[in-house]
Amino acid sequence: MFDVAVIGAGMAGLSCAQRLRQAGYSVAVVEKSRGAGGRVATRRVQGTRADHGARYLEPQGDAVQGLIQVLVDRHILKLWTDSVGEFRQGEMFSIPSSCYVAPAGMNAIGKYLAQDLDIWYGRRVKAISRTDSQMWQLSLEVTDGNLEIPQELIAKAVVVAIPAPQALMFLDAKIGLPSDFLDKLRSVEYDPCITVMAGYSAAKQQDLSNLNPQWKSVSFPDNADLAWIGWDSSKRLDPQQPVFVVHSSAIFAERYLEAVDLETVGQQLLDRTSEYLMPWLKQPEWLQVHRWRYAFCRNPLPVSCLAAEGTLPLVCAGDLCGEGQIEGALRSGLAAANWVNSQLQNLPLDSSLNW
């Protein structure tokens, strides 16, 4: 039994849970995967790491700027590049942009924000109901084979910090949620993305040195198939081989989201990338593909968090609220923490953007 249950250990869920924990509430975070960070994600692959979710952090808002400063001071983040490439109408343009990355992998950000939190990994919420004592009861499905953590959780308040379509799998009118709240959740749409991680012969490292490319990050704003490519191994302190990460466009991802043979889909993206950048990018030693069904919120709601009125305390948070993906998610998590606090004990809550 907890004061607050937070569903989702992405940026919004972690920022919310930390703020409430620091105020003195008992908080449990329920997360279906094995790690914290959500779409700020890193995969271990072929003896190295590849960031297959968020590419980097840019100091474009106060919340992210404050987080960057703290993580740089703790040697978790470093400046990766101060300019990015943009490929438009057959030409490469250089755009000033301060991009910060984690040499240990971008999921180091989630690990930092998850410190001291009680996180139940490998648990997916399959149902939510009210108890006779007017609390929320969460029924949990095991996703990682760990049967030691309970499969049920009771809390006075619930924060739902996952994409809207996933939340609607267990949020409905049967548990007393108002129709306008559910209609707003249903209105939120997402663009998918297919990500390819590809490793190349160590001999190609010399090619990169000789070419001395001025780009580490290149976006394709008007390409039907490609959205972005990054020289991922240049983030690492001691890269053993070149590794590149490619993100598809939303149109391409919609076309191949349900494909069974993802490796062939990934190869298509590498073939397209090689046409614009280096020809050998279509000949990797290895590749892995990840599909993000809810990569980017297309039409976020114009609110900092979405509270269900007239029921037990329940609020939705994340990049489905406000503007700016990571900035919006962090701010939404803090707004949800403030709202939950107002429904419970009104404890003194840190209102700053300090991390």
Side-chain angles (χ1 to χ4, degrees), residues 143-201:
T143 62
D144 66 354
N146 178 6
L147 299 175
E148 293 179 17
I149 299 175
Q151 290 173 246
E152 214 168 65
L153 186 156
I154 293 173
K156 297 173 187 172
V158 170
V159 178
V160 183
I162 56 177
Q166 294 177 331
L168 286 164
M169 292 178 183
F170 54 82
L171 296 181
D172 54 39
K174 294 176 191 169
I175 56 173
L177 296 176
S179 57
D180 64 326
F181 168 84
L182 293 170
D183 287 344
K184 285 174 184 171
L185 267 188
R186 291 189 194 104
S187 75
V188 178
E189 297 176 315
Y190 292 78
D191 285 328
C193 178
I194 291 175
T195 298
V196 187
M197 297 150 272
Y200 298 84
S201 162

Short mmCIF file of all heavy atoms in Angstrom, two decimals, residues 143-201:
data_model
loop_
_atom_site.label_atom_id
_atom_site.label_comp_id
_atom_site.label_asym_id
_atom_site.label_seq_id
_atom_site.Cartn_x
_atom_site.Cartn_y
_atom_site.Cartn_z
N THR A 143 6.07 -9.31 -16.77
CA THR A 143 6.63 -9.30 -18.12
C THR A 143 8.06 -9.83 -18.18
O THR A 143 8.61 -10.00 -19.26
CB THR A 143 6.61 -7.87 -18.71
OG1 THR A 143 7.43 -7.02 -17.89
CG2 THR A 143 5.20 -7.32 -18.78
N ASP A 144 8.68 -10.08 -17.02
CA ASP A 144 10.08 -10.51 -17.05
C ASP A 144 10.36 -11.80 -16.28
O ASP A 144 11.50 -12.16 -16.05
CB ASP A 144 10.98 -9.39 -16.49
CG ASP A 144 10.72 -9.12 -15.01
OD1 ASP A 144 9.77 -9.71 -14.45
OD2 ASP A 144 11.47 -8.33 -14.42
N GLY A 145 9.31 -12.51 -15.87
CA GLY A 145 9.49 -13.77 -15.16
C GLY A 145 9.81 -13.64 -13.69
O GLY A 145 9.94 -14.65 -12.98
N ASN A 146 9.93 -12.41 -13.19
CA ASN A 146 10.24 -12.20 -11.77
C ASN A 146 8.95 -12.24 -10.95
O ASN A 146 8.15 -11.31 -10.99
CB ASN A 146 10.95 -10.85 -11.59
CG ASN A 146 11.25 -10.56 -10.13
OD1 ASN A 146 11.04 -11.40 -9.25
ND2 ASN A 146 11.74 -9.36 -9.86
N LEU A 147 8.78 -13.32 -10.21
CA LEU A 147 7.55 -13.48 -9.43
C LEU A 147 7.70 -13.00 -7.99
O LEU A 147 6.75 -13.12 -7.20
CB LEU A 147 7.12 -14.96 -9.44
CG LEU A 147 6.81 -15.52 -10.84
CD1 LEU A 147 6.51 -17.01 -10.75
CD2 LEU A 147 5.66 -14.79 -11.49
N GLU A 148 8.86 -12.46 -7.64
CA GLU A 148 9.07 -12.01 -6.26
C GLU A 148 8.35 -10.70 -5.96
O GLU A 148 7.86 -10.49 -4.85
CB GLU A 148 10.58 -11.85 -6.00
CG GLU A 148 11.33 -13.18 -6.02
CD GLU A 148 12.83 -13.01 -5.79
OE1 GLU A 148 13.23 -11.93 -5.31
OE2 GLU A 148 13.58 -13.94 -6.10
N ILE A 149 8.30 -9.81 -6.95
CA ILE A 149 7.57 -8.55 -6.74
C ILE A 149 6.07 -8.85 -6.80
O ILE A 149 5.62 -9.63 -7.64
CB ILE A 149 7.95 -7.53 -7.84
CG1 ILE A 149 9.45 -7.23 -7.78
CG2 ILE A 149 7.16 -6.23 -7.68
CD1 ILE A 149 9.94 -6.34 -8.90
N PRO A 150 5.26 -8.24 -5.92
CA PRO A 150 3.81 -8.51 -5.93
C PRO A 150 3.16 -8.20 -7.27
O PRO A 150 3.69 -7.42 -8.07
CB PRO A 150 3.29 -7.57 -4.83
CG PRO A 150 4.45 -7.31 -3.94
CD PRO A 150 5.65 -7.33 -4.84
N GLN A 151 2.00 -8.80 -7.49
CA GLN A 151 1.26 -8.57 -8.73
C GLN A 151 0.02 -7.71 -8.47
O GLN A 151 -0.87 -7.63 -9.30
CB GLN A 151 0.86 -9.91 -9.35
CG GLN A 151 2.07 -10.65 -9.91
CD GLN A 151 1.73 -12.06 -10.36
OE1 GLN A 151 2.19 -13.05 -9.80
NE2 GLN A 151 0.90 -12.14 -11.39
N GLU A 152 0.03 -7.03 -7.34
CA GLU A 152 -1.08 -6.15 -7.00
C GLU A 152 -0.52 -4.99 -6.19
O GLU A 152 0.47 -5.13 -5.46
CB GLU A 152 -2.10 -6.91 -6.16
CG GLU A 152 -3.53 -6.48 -6.40
CD GLU A 152 -4.49 -7.49 -5.76
OE1 GLU A 152 -4.48 -7.61 -4.52
OE2 GLU A 152 -5.21 -8.16 -6.52
N LEU A 153 -1.14 -3.84 -6.33
CA LEU A 153 -0.64 -2.64 -5.65
C LEU A 153 -1.84 -1.76 -5.31
O LEU A 153 -2.76 -1.62 -6.13
CB LEU A 153 0.33 -1.92 -6.59
CG LEU A 153 1.12 -0.70 -6.11
CD1 LEU A 153 2.37 -0.56 -6.97
CD2 LEU A 153 0.31 0.56 -6.20
N ILE A 154 -1.84 -1.17 -4.12
CA ILE A 154 -2.93 -0.29 -3.71
C ILE A 154 -2.35 1.09 -3.39
O ILE A 154 -1.31 1.20 -2.75
CB ILE A 154 -3.67 -0.87 -2.48
CG1 ILE A 154 -4.41 -2.16 -2.89
CG2 ILE A 154 -4.67 0.13 -1.90
CD1 ILE A 154 -5.04 -2.90 -1.74
N ALA A 155 -3.02 2.13 -3.87
CA ALA A 155 -2.52 3.49 -3.66
C ALA A 155 -3.68 4.48 -3.55
O ALA A 155 -4.77 4.25 -4.10
CB ALA A 155 -1.61 3.89 -4.82
N LYS A 156 -3.41 5.58 -2.86
CA LYS A 156 -4.42 6.64 -2.72
C LYS A 156 -4.58 7.43 -4.01
O LYS A 156 -5.65 7.95 -4.30
CB LYS A 156 -4.02 7.59 -1.59
CG LYS A 156 -3.96 6.96 -0.21
CD LYS A 156 -3.39 7.95 0.79
CE LYS A 156 -3.15 7.27 2.15
NZ LYS A 156 -2.42 8.15 3.08
N ALA A 157 -3.49 7.57 -4.76
CA ALA A 157 -3.52 8.34 -6.00
C ALA A 157 -2.70 7.62 -7.07
O ALA A 157 -1.76 6.90 -6.75
CB ALA A 157 -2.96 9.74 -5.77
N VAL A 158 -3.06 7.85 -8.33
CA VAL A 158 -2.37 7.21 -9.45
C VAL A 158 -1.96 8.27 -10.47
O VAL A 158 -2.75 9.15 -10.83
CB VAL A 158 -3.27 6.16 -10.14
CG1 VAL A 158 -2.64 5.67 -11.44
CG2 VAL A 158 -3.52 4.98 -9.21
N VAL A 159 -0.70 8.17 -10.91
CA VAL A 159 -0.19 9.00 -12.00
C VAL A 159 0.09 8.08 -13.18
O VAL A 159 0.85 7.12 -13.05
CB VAL A 159 1.09 9.74 -11.60
CG1 VAL A 159 1.62 10.56 -12.78
CG2 VAL A 159 0.86 10.63 -10.38
N VAL A 160 -0.55 8.34 -14.31
CA VAL A 160 -0.38 7.52 -15.50
C VAL A 160 0.56 8.27 -16.45
O VAL A 160 0.18 9.28 -17.04
CB VAL A 160 -1.72 7.24 -16.18
CG1 VAL A 160 -1.53 6.33 -17.39
CG2 VAL A 160 -2.70 6.61 -15.20
N ALA A 161 1.79 7.80 -16.57
CA ALA A 161 2.82 8.50 -17.34
C ALA A 161 3.33 7.62 -18.48
O ALA A 161 4.52 7.34 -18.60
CB ALA A 161 3.97 8.93 -16.43
N ILE A 162 2.40 7.16 -19.31
CA ILE A 162 2.72 6.33 -20.48
C ILE A 162 1.92 6.89 -21.66
O ILE A 162 1.00 7.69 -21.47
CB ILE A 162 2.36 4.84 -20.24
CG1 ILE A 162 0.88 4.68 -19.86
CG2 ILE A 162 3.26 4.24 -19.16
CD1 ILE A 162 0.43 3.25 -19.67
N PRO A 163 2.24 6.50 -22.90
CA PRO A 163 1.48 7.01 -24.05
C PRO A 163 -0.02 6.74 -23.91
O PRO A 163 -0.44 5.71 -23.38
CB PRO A 163 2.09 6.24 -25.23
CG PRO A 163 3.49 5.98 -24.80
CD PRO A 163 3.41 5.70 -23.33
N ALA A 164 -0.81 7.68 -24.42
CA ALA A 164 -2.27 7.62 -24.26
C ALA A 164 -2.90 6.30 -24.72
O ALA A 164 -3.75 5.74 -24.01
CB ALA A 164 -2.92 8.80 -24.98
N PRO A 165 -2.51 5.74 -25.90
CA PRO A 165 -3.15 4.47 -26.31
C PRO A 165 -2.90 3.34 -25.33
O PRO A 165 -3.75 2.47 -25.14
CB PRO A 165 -2.50 4.19 -27.67
CG PRO A 165 -2.05 5.53 -28.16
CD PRO A 165 -1.62 6.27 -26.95
N GLN A 166 -1.71 3.33 -24.69
CA GLN A 166 -1.42 2.29 -23.69
C GLN A 166 -2.24 2.53 -22.43
O GLN A 166 -2.73 1.57 -21.80
CB GLN A 166 0.07 2.28 -23.37
CG GLN A 166 0.94 1.86 -24.54
CD GLN A 166 2.43 1.93 -24.23
OE1 GLN A 166 2.87 2.73 -23.42
NE2 GLN A 166 3.20 1.09 -24.89
N ALA A 167 -2.42 3.79 -22.06
CA ALA A 167 -3.22 4.11 -20.87
C ALA A 167 -4.67 3.71 -21.07
O ALA A 167 -5.34 3.23 -20.13
CB ALA A 167 -3.12 5.60 -20.57
N LEU A 168 -5.19 3.87 -22.29
CA LEU A 168 -6.59 3.56 -22.56
C LEU A 168 -6.88 2.06 -22.55
O LEU A 168 -8.04 1.66 -22.61
CB LEU A 168 -7.00 4.16 -23.91
CG LEU A 168 -7.17 5.69 -23.89
CD1 LEU A 168 -7.18 6.25 -25.30
CD2 LEU A 168 -8.45 6.07 -23.15
N MET A 169 -5.83 1.24 -22.44
CA MET A 169 -6.06 -0.20 -22.31
C MET A 169 -6.64 -0.56 -20.95
O MET A 169 -7.24 -1.62 -20.79
CB MET A 169 -4.75 -0.97 -22.55
CG MET A 169 -4.26 -0.89 -23.98
SD MET A 169 -2.67 -1.75 -24.18
CE MET A 169 -2.32 -1.42 -25.91
N PHE A 170 -6.44 0.33 -19.94
CA PHE A 170 -7.01 0.03 -18.62
C PHE A 170 -7.79 1.20 -18.02
O PHE A 170 -8.37 1.07 -16.95
CB PHE A 170 -5.91 -0.44 -17.64
CG PHE A 170 -4.74 0.50 -17.52
CD1 PHE A 170 -4.81 1.61 -16.70
CD2 PHE A 170 -3.57 0.26 -18.22
CE1 PHE A 170 -3.73 2.48 -16.58
CE2 PHE A 170 -2.49 1.13 -18.12
CZ PHE A 170 -2.57 2.24 -17.30
N LEU A 171 -7.81 2.34 -18.69
CA LEU A 171 -8.61 3.47 -18.22
C LEU A 171 -9.91 3.53 -19.02
O LEU A 171 -9.88 3.63 -20.25
CB LEU A 171 -7.85 4.79 -18.39
CG LEU A 171 -6.55 4.96 -17.59
CD1 LEU A 171 -5.95 6.33 -17.87
CD2 LEU A 171 -6.80 4.78 -16.09
N ASP A 172 -11.04 3.45 -18.34
CA ASP A 172 -12.33 3.51 -19.04
C ASP A 172 -13.42 4.02 -18.10
O ASP A 172 -13.17 4.29 -16.92
CB ASP A 172 -12.71 2.15 -19.63
CG ASP A 172 -12.70 1.03 -18.59
OD1 ASP A 172 -13.14 1.28 -17.45
OD2 ASP A 172 -12.26 -0.08 -18.92
N ALA A 173 -14.62 4.14 -18.63
CA ALA A 173 -15.75 4.69 -17.85
C ALA A 173 -16.19 3.75 -16.73
O ALA A 173 -16.81 4.19 -15.75
CB ALA A 173 -16.92 4.98 -18.78
N LYS A 174 -15.85 2.46 -16.84
CA LYS A 174 -16.30 1.49 -15.83
C LYS A 174 -15.73 1.79 -14.45
O LYS A 174 -16.29 1.38 -13.43
CB LYS A 174 -15.88 0.06 -16.23
CG LYS A 174 -16.56 -0.45 -17.48
CD LYS A 174 -15.98 -1.82 -17.84
CE LYS A 174 -16.44 -2.25 -19.23
NZ LYS A 174 -15.68 -3.43 -19.69
N ILE A 175 -14.59 2.47 -14.40
CA ILE A 175 -13.99 2.77 -13.09
C ILE A 175 -14.29 4.21 -12.66
O ILE A 175 -13.64 4.77 -11.79
CB ILE A 175 -12.46 2.51 -13.09
CG1 ILE A 175 -11.76 3.30 -14.20
CG2 ILE A 175 -12.17 1.03 -13.24
CD1 ILE A 175 -10.24 3.22 -14.13
N GLY A 176 -15.30 4.79 -13.32
CA GLY A 176 -15.78 6.10 -12.88
C GLY A 176 -15.05 7.29 -13.47
O GLY A 176 -15.18 8.41 -12.97
N LEU A 177 -14.30 7.07 -14.56
CA LEU A 177 -13.60 8.20 -15.17
C LEU A 177 -14.55 8.97 -16.07
O LEU A 177 -15.32 8.37 -16.83
CB LEU A 177 -12.40 7.69 -15.98
CG LEU A 177 -11.31 7.01 -15.16
CD1 LEU A 177 -10.23 6.45 -16.08
CD2 LEU A 177 -10.69 7.97 -14.15
N PRO A 178 -14.53 10.30 -16.01
CA PRO A 178 -15.46 11.12 -16.79
C PRO A 178 -15.22 10.99 -18.29
O PRO A 178 -14.09 10.81 -18.74
CB PRO A 178 -15.21 12.55 -16.30
CG PRO A 178 -13.89 12.51 -15.62
CD PRO A 178 -13.67 11.12 -15.14
N SER A 179 -16.29 11.12 -19.07
CA SER A 179 -16.21 10.91 -20.52
C SER A 179 -15.34 11.97 -21.20
O SER A 179 -14.63 11.66 -22.16
CB SER A 179 -17.61 10.91 -21.14
OG SER A 179 -18.28 12.12 -20.84
N ASP A 180 -15.36 13.22 -20.70
CA ASP A 180 -14.54 14.24 -21.36
C ASP A 180 -13.05 13.97 -21.17
O ASP A 180 -12.23 14.24 -22.05
CB ASP A 180 -14.91 15.65 -20.89
CG ASP A 180 -14.62 15.86 -19.41
OD1 ASP A 180 -14.76 14.90 -18.63
OD2 ASP A 180 -14.27 17.00 -19.02
N PHE A 181 -12.68 13.43 -20.01
CA PHE A 181 -11.30 13.04 -19.74
C PHE A 181 -10.86 11.95 -20.72
O PHE A 181 -9.80 12.03 -21.34
CB PHE A 181 -11.19 12.55 -18.29
CG PHE A 181 -9.90 11.86 -17.94
CD1 PHE A 181 -8.78 12.58 -17.57
CD2 PHE A 181 -9.81 10.46 -17.96
CE1 PHE A 181 -7.59 11.93 -17.24
CE2 PHE A 181 -8.64 9.81 -17.63
CZ PHE A 181 -7.52 10.55 -17.26
N LEU A 182 -11.70 10.93 -20.89
CA LEU A 182 -11.37 9.83 -21.80
C LEU A 182 -11.34 10.30 -23.25
O LEU A 182 -10.50 9.86 -24.05
CB LEU A 182 -12.38 8.69 -21.62
CG LEU A 182 -12.33 7.98 -20.27
CD1 LEU A 182 -13.52 7.05 -20.09
CD2 LEU A 182 -11.03 7.19 -20.12
N ASP A 183 -12.26 11.22 -23.62
CA ASP A 183 -12.28 11.75 -24.98
C ASP A 183 -10.98 12.49 -25.30
O ASP A 183 -10.43 12.38 -26.40
CB ASP A 183 -13.47 12.70 -25.19
CG ASP A 183 -14.79 11.94 -25.26
OD1 ASP A 183 -14.76 10.71 -25.46
OD2 ASP A 183 -15.85 12.58 -25.08
N LYS A 184 -10.48 13.26 -24.32
CA LYS A 184 -9.22 13.98 -24.53
C LYS A 184 -8.07 13.00 -24.73
O LYS A 184 -7.21 13.19 -25.60
CB LYS A 184 -8.94 14.91 -23.35
CG LYS A 184 -9.79 16.16 -23.36
CD LYS A 184 -9.60 16.97 -22.10
CE LYS A 184 -10.55 18.17 -22.09
NZ LYS A 184 -10.55 18.87 -20.79
N LEU A 185 -8.05 11.93 -23.92
CA LEU A 185 -7.00 10.92 -24.08
C LEU A 185 -7.08 10.26 -25.46
O LEU A 185 -6.06 10.04 -26.12
CB LEU A 185 -7.14 9.84 -23.00
CG LEU A 185 -6.35 9.98 -21.71
CD1 LEU A 185 -6.48 8.71 -20.89
CD2 LEU A 185 -4.88 10.29 -21.97
N ARG A 186 -8.30 9.96 -25.90
CA ARG A 186 -8.47 9.31 -27.20
C ARG A 186 -8.05 10.21 -28.35
O ARG A 186 -7.73 9.74 -29.45
CB ARG A 186 -9.94 8.88 -27.39
CG ARG A 186 -10.38 7.74 -26.48
CD ARG A 186 -11.76 7.22 -26.84
NE ARG A 186 -12.29 6.38 -25.78
CZ ARG A 186 -13.23 6.76 -24.92
NH1 ARG A 186 -13.76 7.98 -25.01
NH2 ARG A 186 -13.66 5.94 -23.98
N SER A 187 -8.08 11.51 -28.14
CA SER A 187 -7.75 12.46 -29.22
C SER A 187 -6.25 12.54 -29.49
O SER A 187 -5.82 13.06 -30.51
CB SER A 187 -8.28 13.85 -28.88
OG SER A 187 -7.47 14.48 -27.88
N VAL A 188 -5.44 12.05 -28.55
CA VAL A 188 -3.98 12.17 -28.68
C VAL A 188 -3.46 11.12 -29.67
O VAL A 188 -3.77 9.94 -29.55
CB VAL A 188 -3.29 12.01 -27.31
CG1 VAL A 188 -1.78 12.10 -27.46
CG2 VAL A 188 -3.79 13.08 -26.34
N GLU A 189 -2.66 11.57 -30.63
CA GLU A 189 -2.11 10.67 -31.65
C GLU A 189 -0.59 10.71 -31.64
O GLU A 189 0.02 11.70 -31.24
CB GLU A 189 -2.62 11.07 -33.04
CG GLU A 189 -4.13 10.95 -33.17
CD GLU A 189 -4.62 11.44 -34.52
OE1 GLU A 189 -4.17 12.52 -34.97
OE2 GLU A 189 -5.44 10.75 -35.13
N TYR A 190 0.00 9.61 -32.11
CA TYR A 190 1.46 9.47 -32.10
C TYR A 190 1.97 9.08 -33.48
O TYR A 190 1.29 8.38 -34.23
CB TYR A 190 1.88 8.39 -31.09
CG TYR A 190 1.63 8.77 -29.66
CD1 TYR A 190 0.35 8.68 -29.12
CD2 TYR A 190 2.66 9.24 -28.85
CE1 TYR A 190 0.10 9.04 -27.81
CE2 TYR A 190 2.42 9.59 -27.53
CZ TYR A 190 1.14 9.49 -27.01
OH TYR A 190 0.90 9.85 -25.72
N ASP A 191 3.18 9.53 -33.77
CA ASP A 191 3.89 9.07 -34.97
C ASP A 191 4.85 7.96 -34.56
O ASP A 191 5.55 8.09 -33.55
CB ASP A 191 4.69 10.21 -35.59
CG ASP A 191 3.80 11.19 -36.33
OD1 ASP A 191 2.78 10.77 -36.88
OD2 ASP A 191 4.14 12.40 -36.34
N PRO A 192 4.91 6.89 -35.34
CA PRO A 192 5.87 5.81 -35.05
C PRO A 192 7.24 6.11 -35.65
O PRO A 192 7.40 7.05 -36.43
CB PRO A 192 5.24 4.60 -35.72
CG PRO A 192 4.53 5.19 -36.91
CD PRO A 192 4.05 6.56 -36.49
N CYS A 193 8.22 5.31 -35.28
CA CYS A 193 9.57 5.43 -35.85
C CYS A 193 10.22 4.05 -35.82
O CYS A 193 10.03 3.29 -34.87
CB CYS A 193 10.41 6.42 -35.03
SG CYS A 193 12.12 6.59 -35.59
N ILE A 194 10.94 3.72 -36.87
CA ILE A 194 11.75 2.50 -36.89
C ILE A 194 13.21 2.92 -36.79
O ILE A 194 13.67 3.80 -37.55
CB ILE A 194 11.49 1.67 -38.15
CG1 ILE A 194 10.07 1.08 -38.09
CG2 ILE A 194 12.52 0.56 -38.30
CD1 ILE A 194 9.64 0.33 -39.33
N THR A 195 13.92 2.33 -35.83
CA THR A 195 15.32 2.69 -35.58
C THR A 195 16.23 1.52 -35.96
O THR A 195 15.95 0.37 -35.59
CB THR A 195 15.54 3.01 -34.09
OG1 THR A 195 14.73 4.14 -33.74
CG2 THR A 195 16.99 3.36 -33.80
N VAL A 196 17.29 1.83 -36.68
CA VAL A 196 18.30 0.82 -37.04
C VAL A 196 19.61 1.16 -36.34
O VAL A 196 20.07 2.30 -36.39
CB VAL A 196 18.56 0.79 -38.56
CG1 VAL A 196 19.48 -0.37 -38.90
CG2 VAL A 196 17.28 0.68 -39.33
N MET A 197 20.18 0.17 -35.67
CA MET A 197 21.52 0.28 -35.10
C MET A 197 22.43 -0.60 -35.94
O MET A 197 22.13 -1.78 -36.12
CB MET A 197 21.51 -0.20 -33.65
CG MET A 197 20.64 0.62 -32.72
SD MET A 197 19.96 -0.35 -31.33
CE MET A 197 18.45 -0.99 -32.08
N ALA A 198 23.52 -0.03 -36.45
CA ALA A 198 24.39 -0.80 -37.37
C ALA A 198 25.85 -0.60 -37.02
O ALA A 198 26.30 0.52 -36.77
CB ALA A 198 24.13 -0.37 -38.81
N GLY A 199 26.59 -1.71 -37.01
CA GLY A 199 28.02 -1.67 -36.72
C GLY A 199 28.83 -2.03 -37.95
O GLY A 199 28.39 -2.84 -38.78
N TYR A 200 30.02 -1.43 -38.09
CA TYR A 200 30.83 -1.58 -39.28
C TYR A 200 32.24 -2.03 -38.94
O TYR A 200 32.67 -1.95 -37.79
CB TYR A 200 30.86 -0.25 -40.06
CG TYR A 200 29.49 0.15 -40.53
CD1 TYR A 200 28.62 0.85 -39.67
CD2 TYR A 200 29.02 -0.20 -41.78
CE1 TYR A 200 27.34 1.19 -40.07
CE2 TYR A 200 27.74 0.14 -42.20
CZ TYR A 200 26.91 0.83 -41.33
OH TYR A 200 25.64 1.15 -41.74
N SER A 201 32.94 -2.48 -39.94
CA SER A 201 34.33 -2.93 -39.77
C SER A 201 35.16 -1.85 -39.10
O SER A 201 35.05 -0.66 -39.44
CB SER A 201 34.92 -3.28 -41.13
OG SER A 201 36.32 -3.32 -41.06
#
